[in-house]
Amino acid sequence: IIMQPQVGIMAFGAIKKKPAVIETPEGDMIAVRHMMFLSHSYDHRVVDGSLGGMFVRRVADYLEKFDPSQQV
């Protein structure tokens, strides 16, 4: 349930190690990677579905590129 004046909720799952297919120049391979589910729900009267999807993709991109060794 989204309580007004909020228009959306974002949920982050636990980070777990999972097998994933990795594309390399030598071909595809299976490797263990840290994975997390990211989901959101929003009021469609306020947020369009494609805009909501772009937002989640942007958040995922930032998280995938995050490097804790670069933090001050």
Side-chain angles (χ1 to χ4, degrees):
I1 298 173
I2 301 172
M3 304 297 290
Q4 291 199 357
Q6 299 172 347
V7 296
I9 298 171
M10 179 166 273
F12 297 87
I15 299 172
K16 296 182 179 181
K17 290 183 180 180
K18 302 263 185 187
V21 176
I22 308 299
E23 295 180 9
T24 68
E26 294 81 32
D28 294 347
M29 60 186 281
I30 296 175
V32 176
R33 294 288 186 255
H34 288 90
M35 306 289 279
M36 175 183 72
F37 283 104
L38 175 64
S39 63
H40 74 296
S41 180
Y42 48 88
D43 186 339
H44 286 271
R45 295 173 296 181
V46 180
V47 179
D48 178 58
S50 66
L51 181 62
M54 287 188 294
F55 171 73
V56 171
R57 179 73 260 162
R58 177 77 59 95
V59 171
D61 289 342
Y62 284 136
L63 291 173
E64 289 171 0
K65 293 176 185 173
F66 178 74
D67 183 2
S69 65
Q70 299 294 322
Q71 302 302 308
V72 179

